[in-house]
Amino acid sequence: MEINLKTVEDVKIAVLVGDVDASTAPTVTEQILPLVESHGKILLDMTGVAYMSSAGLRMLLSLYRQAAAQESQLVLIGLSEDVKDTMSVTGFLDFFQISDTVEAGLASLT
Amino acid sequence: MTMQRIDIHPTHTYNQFKLRCGKPFPFGATLVPGGVNFSIFSSYATACTLVLFEKHAKAPLVEIPFPDEFRIGNVYCMTVFDLDYESLEYGYRMDGPNNFQEGQWFDSSKILMDPYAKNIGGRDVWGVHPDWNDIYHHRARIAFDDFDWEDDRPLEIPPEDQIIYEMHVRSFTQDPSSGVKEKYRGTFAGIREKIPYLKALGVNAIELMPIYEFDEFENSRPNPETGELLLNYWGYSTVGFFAPKAGYAATGKFGMQVDEFKALVKELHKNGIEVILDVVFNHTAEGNEHGPTISFRGIDNKTYYMLTPEGYYFNFSGTGNTLNCNNPIVRGMVLDCLRYWAAEYHIDGFRFDLAAILGRDPSGAPLANPPLLESLAFDPILAKCKLIAEAWDAGGLYQVGSFPAYGRWAEWNGKYRDSLRKFLKGDGNVGDVAQRLQGSPDLYAPTGRAPATSINFITCHDGFTLMDLVSYNHKHNEANGENNNDGSNDNDSWNCGWEGSTDDPGINRLRQRQIKNALALLMVSQGVPMLLMGDEMGRTKLGNNNTYCHDNALNWLDWTLVERQASLLQFCQHLIAFRQAHPVLRNPAHFQNRDYVGSGYPDISWHGTKAWYVDWSSAHILAFMLCGKHAKQGQVTDDYLYIGMNLHWQAHGFELPQLPSGMQWHVFANTGVEPPADSCHPGQETVLEDQASILLGERSVVILVGR
């Protein structure tokens, strides 16, 4: 699991590469949670994530809940068809704003 | 800083696994800070070992015997720290006496599944052939049970307002004609895609045939004629009562069936549709003494099963064994199970397969006051759940009308089915039919049970579909490979002149009319109507009345029928909308056969070819009127309704009862005329030209609205 962080203007972008499962989810949380701030904007670029396990999806929802509590926006970028389908049928997708590309994600932020 | 609990620290070590004495409650495997709490009970075991696997591994990761000090009473409980619980599978070995006649089956060479397993692997993807050499087939896993329900909760639709649609998860969308994405076919996700169809149909509850983990390969065998594999397709044979079937989830291969099913329930609720589970507590998948050892048999055979004095299994279920459900321990498990589904899955109701068994004592004798049924009826968590009994069993106990109800239990009304079927084929008894149409007060009123006690159905998964009911005189079950000996012989069906499908337009018209007659009577009856999946579009199973073993087109719903039977489907949609539009059809209490609101009309009145007069000796002719001012016991005002039924082979004129002045009769439906004139959108009825009488064609039903 590789996580690269960058900032574009007031938007924090985290690029994840690798599978997110029970063994990697805690690392992801550890690195991304500090990005959550009041009225902040976060893009999670998941173009490089081929598989999200149940624990991975829970990590995402937990991040979303903590971002929402601070009125932060969280956008998921570049979900693979498999990840998107899994998230859709298990209900996780209902919570998230998603975009195909980082550019589209940036444009979608208000 | 939150204070640290001291029970996050291990006290014992076994092969580098850190342990601590666990908590006996709750039973099963539970995530606790730092680890997993395992708890299992056995009345007769002398020792127990926890067996841990990595997901899909052939051999165990470790086997940890429970130290003596980790047993409390008959419960073995242990917390194991630092486990990768997402890819963990667990089971148990139990030691103890092994003596057939004593009913003791302990065998520590077997790995046993936790009866409280909330997630079960091993049959992750439907139909994938098992490795028969696997030392552990049905593998207990950990469920997270942290689903984000937001503001969802069970809908609590008043029972009398329910319209139930009975369906089988896989059959509903497995056929390519469903138009569902291939990887979602036959799954919970597939049902979710079809919610718009269910909404357009108008039903507000789906009843799912068993979704608890079962083994489709149980007793699988090749069809002697075709070589095709016959499966335990319907799933009336439970492996684990606390886990949804992985093979019914598109995400079963990732072990995410728990989330997928919850997401379906949440989405159905958003759309105003309740979820009722068909639950099978009368027996398990372990079969008779020749069956596999999966769980219960190896943990506590004598506790979980009803045994003969010689140690054999009683077979009141017709499937090999009988769960000993009035044993206090088993009763506790059933209660824990239903509470779990109600609380954790937001399930709206339960339909209990062969529920009469649940009223038998450990030796099989029917109890006057069965503790299990009483516990369920009075349970605080289940308080708003619908409880529906299939009020008979395979051991000959028939309790329709007399099921121990405690003011709570509804019943599949087998007498409704039988009476309506006879009437439809021209062999009826109008006095009996009249009871069924008004919610079977003869069965339920004397004991103070409401009309909604009666779950009215003409067809269900057992027996003919509605199309087959009017197309076959006899069952045709050869494809089941049992020489047509299986399935019921008492079908009260009539083929309308030819056995099976035909090009004869006259016969096909008559069949359409008969189907519409059945649907019309079902939807105007007091009580709760239940529609079998596909009957709204003329689904056939080619005369097979027991398709429990077929994973093929015999069971898969053919969605091309939506087009091919468009007029029938529209008729059914109209009828359901009509029922929803008219509260007078959905009364919470029985009719009193008198005027108690001062309308000048009794709440219900009976008629024949002459108004206000019924020939109760007739087999074919009956009519009734509902006074709209008595709707919901006078709480709301509705239109007046008149339902005329001519199941005779000749046309008859029916004299209409006079309406209050200023009102006129309008035609909502007439099965005797060709579509689209056979029905209309509720509210768009046209006024009847002759207000004094109406001619009902042969075998037809008319529904009039007075306003």
Side-chain angles (χ1 to χ4, degrees):
Chain A
M1 178 90 245
E2 210 180 295
I3 304 169
N4 296 306
L5 303 177
K6 58 186 173 185
T7 306
V8 175
E9 293 175 15
D10 59 339
V11 183
K12 307 268 174 56
I13 303 177
V15 184
L16 311 187
V17 181
D19 291 349
V20 187
D21 57 22
S23 61
T24 55
T27 319
V28 180
T29 304
E30 208 172 280
Q31 300 221 20
I32 303 211
L33 199 53
L35 307 184
V36 176
E37 58 190 19
S38 180
H39 298 86
K41 295 168 182 177
I42 303 173
L43 295 191
L44 284 190
D45 184 350
M46 303 181 47
T47 317
V49 177
Y51 171 69
M52 297 274 295
S53 80
S54 171
L57 296 175
R58 289 180 152 73
M59 177 278 294
L60 278 189
L61 190 54
S62 177
L63 270 182
Y64 162 79
R65 279 289 178 210
Q66 295 178 71
Q70 302 222 41
E71 297 180 50
S72 265
Q73 292 185 72
L74 178 69
V75 184
L76 307 182
I77 308 293
L79 296 176
S80 74
E81 192 190 329
D82 273 352
V83 170
K84 200 193 284 181
D85 283 351
T86 301
M87 289 183 70
S88 166
V89 302
T90 51
F92 285 93
L93 198 60
D94 296 339
F95 294 92
F96 294 96
Q97 198 180 331
I98 59 171
S99 286
D100 289 340
T101 62
V102 171
E103 292 70 37
L106 286 169
S108 76
L109 290 167
T110 51
Chain B
M1 159 117 192
T2 41
M3 216 176 70
Q4 263 195 354
R5 295 173 56 96
I6 57 173
D7 61 3
I8 64 168
H9 301 289
T11 55
H12 293 54
T13 306
Y14 182 85
N15 281 4
Q16 286 150 26
F17 283 82
K18 301 192 175 100
L19 320 172
R20 184 182 178 92
C21 181
K23 309 263 187 204
F25 273 138
F27 300 126
T30 313
L31 295 177
V32 295
V36 180
N37 185 68
F38 297 92
S39 171
I40 187 167
F41 56 80
S42 169
S43 310
Y44 303 101
T46 52
C48 179
T49 301
L50 175 68
V51 185
L52 300 180
F53 291 80
E54 274 184 54
K55 203 169 179 176
H56 301 141
K58 298 266 177 233
L61 171 70
V62 65
E63 305 207 13
I64 310 174
F66 283 78
D68 286 343
E69 62 270 32
F70 288 7
R71 180 177 58 74
I72 297 171
N74 289 331
V75 183
Y76 296 90
C77 47
M78 169 158 66
T79 298
V80 185
F81 293 92
D82 303 326
L83 292 173
D84 177 4
Y85 47 79
E86 190 174 41
S87 54
L88 186 76
E89 292 173 338
Y90 71 98
Y92 297 96
R93 292 188 199 270
M94 295 263 181
D95 242 334
N98 188 312
N99 179 328
F100 185 88
Q101 200 177 340
E102 295 287 311
Q104 301 285 27
W105 282 60
F106 288 101
D107 177 354
S108 62
S109 74
K110 312 259 192 208
I111 303 174
L112 307 166
M113 193 197 76
D114 181 2
Y116 279 73
K118 310 288 198 306
N119 184 331
I120 299 172
R123 298 287 185 271
D124 298 24
V125 176
W126 175 280
V128 172
H129 281 257
D131 168 9
W132 295 111
N133 294 320
D134 198 342
I135 56 169
Y136 187 34
H137 272 261
H138 302 283
R139 297 177 163 221
R141 293 180 186 158
I142 316 277
F144 286 88
D145 283 343
D146 58 352
F147 189 75
D148 199 331
W149 287 99
E150 300 176 277
D151 52 3
D152 181 80
R153 65 159 194 178
L155 297 179
E156 299 180 15
I157 293 173
E160 63 274 12
D161 293 341
Q162 277 187 299
I163 300 175
I164 301 175
Y165 189 74
E166 191 200 28
M167 66 157 79
H168 180 274
V169 175
R170 184 167 169 84
S171 298
F172 193 50
T173 63
Q174 180 60 25
D175 195 88
S177 64
S178 67
V180 166
K181 221 192 255 189
E182 192 171 351
K183 61 178 166 183
Y184 294 171
R185 283 183 203 151
T187 68
F188 300 129
I191 296 177
R192 191 168 139 145
E193 285 202 7
K194 287 292 184 185
I195 289 176
Y197 173 82
L198 295 170
K199 281 195 81 165
L201 181 59
V203 295
N204 58 17
I206 58 171
E207 182 168 312
L208 299 175
M209 287 165 67
I211 62 121
Y212 292 172
E213 183 62 30
F214 63 86
D215 182 5
E216 65 269 28
F217 288 97
E218 179 186 343
N219 297 322
S220 62
R221 61 196 190 280
N223 181 332
E225 284 171 29
T226 64
E228 185 183 13
L229 198 64
L230 300 175
L231 297 175
N232 167 30
Y233 179 80
W234 281 352
Y236 283 87
S237 189
T238 310
V239 165
F241 294 103
F242 290 78
K245 172 134 190 72
Y248 278 170
T251 57
K253 59 177 186 263
F254 303 131
M256 292 193 66
Q257 57 271 23
V258 171
D259 289 309
E260 184 174 323
F261 186 51
K262 286 174 181 174
L264 171 64
V265 174
K266 188 177 172 185
E267 196 64 23
L268 284 163
H269 283 172
K270 261 189 209 156
N271 286 280
I273 299 172
E274 294 192 331
V275 180
I276 298 170
L277 299 186
D278 187 343
V279 294
V280 189
F281 286 111
N282 52 72
H283 71 282
T284 78
E286 295 188 311
N288 65 12
E289 63 277 9
H290 304 298
T293 296
I294 298 170
S295 173
F296 310 97
R297 163 177 291 157
I299 294 171
D300 232 353
N301 190 53
K302 233 174 131 159
T303 299
Y304 285 111
Y305 295 113
M306 294 187 193
L307 299 175
T308 69
E310 298 76 30
Y312 290 92
Y313 294 97
F314 274 121
N315 186 16
F316 298 112
S317 66
T319 55
N321 66 51
T322 310
L323 200 70
N324 193 9
C325 47
N326 277 306
N327 171 293
I329 293 173
V330 186
R331 198 195 321 156
M333 182 191 69
V334 174
L335 191 57
D336 287 345
C337 173
L338 294 168
R339 285 173 161 181
Y340 175 73
W341 286 95
E344 194 55 50
Y345 282 85
H346 292 197
I347 294 302
D348 299 274
F350 301 94
R351 176 267 187 193
F352 295 74
D353 187 61
L354 303 182
I357 284 184
L358 310 183
R360 289 181 184 268
D361 75 8
S363 68
L367 291 156
N369 200 23
L372 173 59
L373 300 179
E374 187 185 35
S375 304
L376 298 181
F378 292 102
D379 187 74
I381 295 173
L382 302 176
K384 309 288 185 201
C385 283
K386 276 91 178 174
L387 302 176
I388 303 168
E390 185 186 31
W392 53 85
D393 67 22
L397 191 54
Y398 191 82
Q399 296 182 309
V400 171
S402 63
F403 192 79
Y406 307 98
R408 286 276 279 121
W409 284 81
E411 297 175 0
W412 266 27
N413 190 343
K415 290 186 178 170
Y416 181 95
R417 175 197 57 210
D418 301 343
S419 186
L420 269 283
R421 283 183 175 199
K422 288 191 172 80
F423 186 47
L424 285 165
K425 66 186 277 212
D427 203 9
N429 170 327
V430 296
D432 195 54
V433 169
Q435 293 293 332
R436 304 304 143 239
L437 294 171
Q438 49 186 325
S440 296
D442 57 334
L443 301 176
Y444 302 121
T447 44
R449 300 171 74 187
T453 300
S454 178
I455 307 297
N456 298 327
F457 66 102
I458 296 171
T459 54
C460 65
H461 67 273
D462 269 325
F464 283 141
T465 66
L466 195 46
M467 177 57 90
D468 289 351
L469 188 71
V470 300
S471 306
Y472 295 92
N473 284 348
H474 308 287
K475 67 181 185 187
H476 296 268
N477 295 2
E478 288 78 8
N480 304 350
E482 297 176 45
N483 299 317
N484 205 26
N485 288 323
D486 61 313
S488 176
N489 294 318
D490 304 321
N491 297 297
D492 293 315
S493 63
W494 176 48
N495 66 16
C496 296
W498 179 261
E499 189 76 352
S501 70
T502 173
D503 293 333
D504 185 313
I507 290 176
N508 283 328
R509 267 201 306 277
L510 176 56
R511 285 177 180 171
Q512 285 284 319
R513 209 156 70 234
Q514 287 287 70
I515 290 173
K516 289 181 198 167
N517 289 341
L519 293 171
L521 297 185
L522 182 64
M523 290 302 162
V524 300
S525 293
Q526 303 291 323
V528 180
M530 185 178 77
L531 190 64
L532 172 64
M533 178 185 99
D535 276 356
E536 74 278 16
M537 47 169 122
R539 176 188 182 208
T540 177
K541 294 184 184 176
L542 307 179
N544 193 318
N545 75 356
N546 188 32
T547 59
Y548 71 100
C549 53
H550 295 283
D551 187 12
N552 56 35
L554 270 184
N555 275 316
W556 299 350
L557 182 57
D558 176 1
W559 287 85
T560 66
L561 291 168
V562 169
E563 296 276 324
R564 292 192 283 131
Q565 298 276 1
S567 66
L568 179 59
L569 177 57
Q570 181 171 65
F571 182 83
C572 191
Q573 287 169 334
H574 284 161
L575 271 173
I576 292 174
F578 186 79
R579 183 175 179 85
Q580 297 288 28
H582 289 289
V584 76
L585 295 171
R586 297 177 277 116
N587 288 312
H590 288 287
F591 294 117
Q592 299 176 25
N593 301 295
R594 63 187 181 96
D595 172 18
Y596 56 88
V597 299
S599 65
Y601 291 83
D603 48 5
I604 186 169
S605 52
W606 295 94
H607 311 271
T609 49
K610 285 185 184 161
W612 304 101
Y613 173 80
V614 185
D615 175 3
W616 292 108
S617 70
S618 164
H620 310 117
I621 289 174
L622 184 65
F624 66 94
M625 178 167 71
L626 301 178
C627 163
K629 294 208 168 61
H630 286 83
K632 300 263 179 194
Q633 274 61 52
Q635 301 296 306
V636 296
T637 299
D638 194 357
D639 298 326
Y640 285 57
L641 302 183
Y642 174 89
I643 289 89
M645 295 160 268
N646 175 24
L647 277 304
H648 197 224
W649 51 83
Q650 290 172 342
H652 288 275
F654 280 53
E655 186 184 85
L656 297 175
Q658 205 171 8
L659 284 164
S661 66
M663 287 192 185
Q664 289 183 299
W665 287 117
H666 301 66
V667 187
F668 163 68
N670 185 348
T671 66
V673 302
E674 291 302 305
D678 58 351
S679 66
C680 65
H681 281 289
Q684 295 177 1
E685 295 88 358
T686 50
V687 69
L688 192 62
E689 217 165 287
D690 176 1
Q691 288 284 313
S693 73
I694 184 169
L695 183 72
L696 263 71
E698 54 169 279
R699 302 185 197 275
S700 62
V701 172
V702 69
I703 301 175
L704 306 181
V705 179
R707 59 166 182 262

